[in-house]
Amino acid sequence: MHDKSIRELADSLRAGEFSSEELTRHFLDRIERHDGGLNSFITVCAEEALEAARVADQRLRAGEGGALTGIPMAHKDIFCTAGVRTSCGSRMLDNFVAPYDATVTERLKAAGAVMLGKTNMDEFAMGSSNETSYYGPVRNPWNTHTVPGGSSGGSAVAVAARLAPFATGTDTGGSIRQPASLCGITGLKPTYGRVSRWGMIAFASSLDQGGPMTRTAEDAALVLQAMAGFDPRDSTCVDREVPDYHSALENDISGLTIGLPKEFFAEGMDEGVARVVEAAIGEYRRLGAEVKEISLPNSGLSVPAYYVVAPAECSSNLSRFDGVRFGHRCEEPKDLEDLYKRSRGEGFGAEVKRRIMIGTYALSAGYYDAYYLKAQQIRRLISDDFRRAFQEVDVIMGPTSPGVAFRLGEKSDDPVSMYLSDIYTIAVNLAGLPGISIPAGFSDGLPVGLQIIGDYFQEGRLLNVAHRFQQATDWHRQAPEGYA
Amino acid sequence: MSLDASEVKKIAHLARLAIDEADVPRYASNLSDILSLVEQMNRVDTHGVVPMAHPLDMNQRLRPDEVSETVERDRYQAIAPAVENGLYLVPKVIE
């Protein structure tokens, strides 16, 4: 059961081959059996899941519901879930039982999806290896000595190890696409504003975007269909019709123009990754696509600009965690300042503290123009590069990540080297564009992802382009040994 | 740009973060590395470039001025560390 796609599971549920309750038990058993060694879940909600599955079974028996009704799934522990702890991977929120559902939670619940639990993540989504979590690192099922990527590492591992048919993730600088790449799954970061951020704990509000993490592009289309759409509670959510993603999957891609940014294929690129990405582009040529070299001249400045914009916004967003209204509070504060400082000092881990301090510094008196304003100007240049490119090409392709999964601990003492893990993904967030990572092959036995970037609101096109590749290849069907 | 220990302590104070004295040198070194990375931005002249605050250059949406939320104080205070009579408790601020 666990190797089937959402589409196949939905068909089986309707045909009565098994019930949602049986399916849910099957995945709960797998989590019980396998997750001890992987640590992809922070919280498992067995009772609630079985109850939701029984409700879904009633709907299915009555001939109601849609593609996700009765399908088990997991939420990244950044999405608020009413009555269930929402920790954001932090000691700060270890005791935080969300009083309401995020819009994404609400929408997937309404679609009949069955939440198995909440997945592990880098603390407050700050990290590229899932090692900053208060609940311990997550291990990559392809090699448990390596990281799964981050920050949505738990979600990527839950899907890759077949512990859940799909999961939600969030992507501020690559946090859906990079772990998808390192774990050999499909991960889509939608256009900024496509999916509501309401109830999704904020890291950098002008960059954060939720999206689906699945094994296939077809599944991602089904999940995005349920997640996307206007929400008046998120003032940056775009009021624009959601197209039918599934019906566009089969569109012909002959004549598609693919842009290859020369900056993404520069000297020094990892050989194994280069080989896989070039082979994937060869496959697209065989499918009738045309390839054109393009230039994104300012993309090299995306990591520096991001490490101003994201920390600045995070220092402001995370000021709400003060030990007063919810979350961690220190013991016996001697005065209000002591209460703030110790609650935050104890509640946040080192990486979160670093980013809050960088952001505080960048926004402090006298430094605003040199850092924040400059970064927002560079953001404009990066966005203009993409605008020009999309006048010539339909999609842009390249590697998702500069390398395959690295070893646990390898980069944890060197923040800058960790930050460079997102060198190919960050520009997409700064511009607000959609991007997807799909499995494209292996290097040293570890998965390599191909990143496909589209113009604003072209999620349907990205899913179509990804789906055609997945019909011609079977990289997305590979399962890590021991989890098939 | 490199930060020294006293600057790190000042930033931590501004951010209301307690950090261990023993960790200050490591923060100083990490934060200095990050700032060096960030300063690569100076490679490009951005004179006259309009800063980008929103990826889609959208304006803030307005809505009709109607009551939309209800008071749910008890529910939200149920998760607070310390409350009394509907008020959040903190250490005494005014002597």
Side-chain angles (χ1 to χ4, degrees):
Chain A
M1 281 190 241
H2 54 268
D3 210 37
K4 291 187 174 202
S5 71
I6 294 175
R7 165 56 67 200
E8 290 163 345
L9 289 172
D11 290 346
S12 298
L13 287 172
R14 266 173 194 72
E17 287 169 35
F18 43 77
S19 67
S20 172
E21 188 176 347
E22 287 166 318
L23 185 63
T24 302
R25 275 189 204 286
H26 178 73
F27 280 104
L28 289 169
D29 288 348
R30 282 186 65 79
I31 294 168
E32 176 83 33
R33 194 159 71 239
H34 293 292
D35 205 43
L38 297 172
N39 200 28
S40 69
F41 279 84
I42 291 174
T43 305
V44 177
C45 311
E47 287 311 308
E48 295 92 330
L50 291 168
E51 181 52 37
R54 285 188 281 269
V55 172
D57 280 330
Q58 283 169 11
R59 282 174 75 181
L60 288 165
R61 273 196 297 274
E64 294 164 8
L68 301 184
T69 307
I71 307 289
M73 56 80 61
H75 276 298
K76 183 177 183 179
D77 208 14
I78 197 169
F79 289 99
C80 283
T81 43
V84 176
R85 175 175 63 177
T86 301
S87 75
C88 222
S90 182
R91 182 183 181 197
M92 181 59 87
L93 292 179
D94 184 49
N95 62 3
F96 178 68
V97 176
Y100 57 87
D101 275 331
T103 300
V104 162
T105 312
E106 207 174 77
R107 280 174 166 273
L108 287 170
K109 208 181 255 183
V114 172
M115 184 181 80
L116 299 166
K118 309 289 296 287
T119 58
N120 206 340
M121 55 182 284
D122 277 301
E123 185 179 9
F124 284 103
M126 299 176 198
S128 308
S129 67
N130 220 119
E131 292 169 294
T132 73
S133 171
Y134 175 60
Y135 302 91
V138 178
R139 288 166 185 275
N140 190 322
W142 291 95
N143 175 344
T144 52
H145 300 293
T146 66
V147 303
S151 66
S152 312
S155 289
V157 169
V159 173
R162 277 70 174 156
L163 307 184
F166 77 92
T168 54
T170 61
D171 191 314
T172 305
S175 284
I176 287 176
R177 290 161 290 156
Q178 185 254 12
S181 174
L182 271 46
C183 292
I185 65 159
T186 300
L188 172 71
K189 175 234 175 267
T191 307
Y192 182 77
R194 180 76 285 182
V195 170
S196 170
R197 294 185 296 108
W198 196 78
M200 184 177 109
I201 297 172
F203 159 17
S205 304
S206 78
L207 303 166
D208 297 342
Q209 185 63 204
M213 302 182 77
T214 56
R215 292 212 304 276
T216 68
E218 182 183 28
D219 285 356
L222 297 171
V223 178
L224 181 63
Q225 199 73 50
M227 290 176 81
F230 179 59
D231 175 14
R233 294 176 296 191
D234 170 3
S235 66
T236 60
C237 194
V238 176
D239 190 359
R240 180 174 166 134
E241 200 191 337
V242 180
D244 181 345
Y245 297 117
H246 197 264
S247 71
L249 288 173
E250 302 291 338
N251 290 352
D252 188 16
I253 60 163
S254 61
L256 179 86
T257 316
I258 298 171
L260 304 181
K262 61 179 188 204
E263 294 79 6
F264 286 17
F265 295 87
E267 244 175 275
M269 186 178 176
D270 179 273
E271 263 178 51
V273 171
R275 183 175 40 77
V276 168
V277 170
E278 277 156 24
I281 288 157
E283 187 62 48
Y284 275 108
R285 285 185 206 265
R286 279 192 286 284
L287 292 169
E290 286 160 29
V291 173
K292 196 170 177 177
E293 186 185 270
I294 56 164
S295 176
L296 300 170
N298 295 292
S299 59
L301 294 171
S302 60
V303 176
Y306 177 88
Y307 278 96
V308 175
V309 175
E313 294 182 13
C314 113
S315 72
S316 166
N317 271 324
L318 270 59
S319 65
R320 77 193 62 191
F321 302 105
D322 57 5
V324 175
R325 290 154 302 152
F326 51 85
H328 177 74
R329 178 178 219 164
C330 67
E331 297 287 338
E332 296 177 26
K334 67 179 194 304
D335 55 29
L336 190 58
E337 187 175 300
D338 186 45
L339 167 70
Y340 291 151
K341 284 186 172 174
R342 280 201 293 126
S343 298
R344 290 163 61 78
E346 293 165 7
F348 295 136
E351 179 60 17
V352 172
K353 286 191 188 114
R354 279 194 284 268
R355 298 210 195 181
I356 290 175
M357 286 196 275
I358 286 289
T360 302
Y361 179 73
L363 292 176
S364 59
Y367 293 106
Y368 181 84
D369 284 3
Y371 290 108
Y372 195 71
L373 197 72
K374 180 86 181 174
Q376 295 285 61
Q377 288 175 313
I378 288 178
R379 195 171 177 185
R380 170 81 57 195
L381 297 177
I382 288 168
S383 166
D384 288 347
D385 285 352
F386 279 115
R387 253 175 238 282
R388 271 190 294 274
F390 282 121
Q391 286 169 2
E392 292 179 55
V393 300
D394 299 313
V395 294
I396 294 172
M397 290 188 190
T400 304
S401 173
V404 292
F406 45 91
R407 293 182 86 77
L408 279 147
E410 188 180 318
K411 300 185 182 184
S412 38
D413 292 332
D414 183 357
V416 169
S417 123
M418 186 71 85
Y419 296 171
L420 295 172
S421 308
D422 293 328
I423 195 159
Y424 300 126
T425 47
I426 275 179
V428 174
N429 298 79
L430 289 170
L433 294 163
I436 190 169
S437 179
I438 56 171
F442 292 83
S443 171
D444 296 331
L446 292 168
V448 175
L450 172 75
Q451 180 175 215
I452 315 170
I453 303 165
D455 206 349
Y456 297 104
F457 298 102
Q458 294 297 305
E459 288 81 2
R461 171 54 80 77
L462 290 183
L463 290 162
N464 161 226
V465 171
H467 178 67
R468 299 304 297 215
F469 183 82
Q470 292 184 341
Q471 284 178 314
T473 61
D474 66 354
W475 302 116
H476 61 291
R477 294 190 202 284
Q478 309 300 314
E481 207 186 314
Y483 303 95
Chain B
M1 184 73 204
S2 115
L3 296 176
D4 63 25
S6 72
E7 285 167 308
V8 168
K9 286 185 203 167
K10 186 182 163 211
I11 297 165
H13 168 70
L14 288 173
R16 298 294 183 270
L17 279 177
I19 55 174
D20 284 343
E21 188 67 37
D23 292 335
V24 170
R26 196 162 48 90
Y27 280 115
S29 135
N30 286 161
L31 299 183
S32 300
D33 288 349
I34 298 168
L35 289 175
S36 311
L37 170 79
V38 159
E39 274 153 20
Q40 290 175 19
M41 293 194 303
N42 296 328
R43 289 203 310 241
V44 61
D45 178 13
T46 52
H47 187 75
V49 176
V50 181
M52 180 167 146
H54 186 291
L56 304 170
D57 284 321
M58 270 186 10
N59 294 320
Q60 194 70 18
R61 191 173 54 239
L62 298 176
R63 62 165 178 83
D65 185 17
E66 288 163 357
V67 176
S68 61
E69 299 296 325
T70 49
V71 176
E72 300 202 50
R73 188 176 67 186
D74 292 347
R75 196 150 68 90
Y76 295 142
Q77 287 195 336
I79 52 170
V83 288
E84 196 179 297
N85 301 325
L87 303 171
Y88 292 95
L89 296 187
V90 295
K92 202 167 169 183
V93 178
I94 301 163
E95 291 301 328

